[in-house]
Amino acid sequence: MNSLTFGAMIHAKAHKGKWTIISDLLYINFKEEGSIEGVAQQVAVEIDQTVWELGAGYKIVNIEDFLSVDGLFGIRYFGLGPQIEVDQQHVLDKNLNFIDPYFGIRFRTVNEKWTNGVRFDVGGLGIGSEISWKLNFLIGYHFNELLSLHLGYQGYNVHYKGDNSLDYNVYTGGFLTGLNFHF
């Protein structure tokens, strides 16, 4: 968290019958500067990460007012911008852009005004990245039919092997809160 410069996330979904359309957008910027021990060199590292996903879900199990299970599938775009400077000279300045397919599952329970959700998916499979995955846990309270508050944890991992021996294996995760509007 000390290196986090900026981060934002937007989530949107729409339901019709057993189908759900899902979209997530995540942007994070990390920056750290310092020196290497024993060597008089200044180092600056900056990473921009953009993740955008567009997917769909199909309700496999629906026990009214208690449990639903959705199968998920879609595509996830990764825009990665790692930069490393040593003594103000670029050692690495690369922009990576790739798209991964993903498949997953989401469980959701409902208890009067409370909801709980768990989602896991896996993607990449050598198509864009070697492998990527997403996991989240959410608990929500519905104030009324229009407004709910959600708290939870979400994590992404992406492992990308590119040309020139670039091996980008990064986990990004953290706690989240969201105010949801239902219409």
Side-chain angles (χ1 to χ4, degrees), residues 99-175:
I99 295 175
D100 280 347
Y102 71 84
F103 305 91
I105 194 161
R106 177 177 56 202
F107 298 90
R108 186 170 165 256
T109 62
V110 178
N111 181 357
E112 294 182 22
K113 291 190 172 260
W114 292 95
T115 60
N116 301 296
V118 176
R119 172 189 169 162
F120 177 75
D121 67 55
V122 63
L125 311 172
I127 295 170
S129 66
E130 296 297 311
I131 191 162
S132 64
W133 57 263
K134 175 181 178 179
L135 173 68
N136 67 29
F137 303 94
L138 297 171
I139 185 167
Y141 181 78
H142 292 262
F143 297 104
N144 53 44
E145 289 183 15
L146 178 67
L147 189 63
S148 63
L149 177 66
H150 291 262
L151 304 171
Y153 183 87
Q154 179 164 288
Y156 283 97
N157 189 80
V158 59
H159 186 191
Y160 176 87
K161 286 187 178 183
D163 55 347
N164 300 326
S165 302
L166 178 64
D167 191 355
Y168 189 87
N169 190 358
V170 173
Y171 174 78
T172 305
F175 293 99

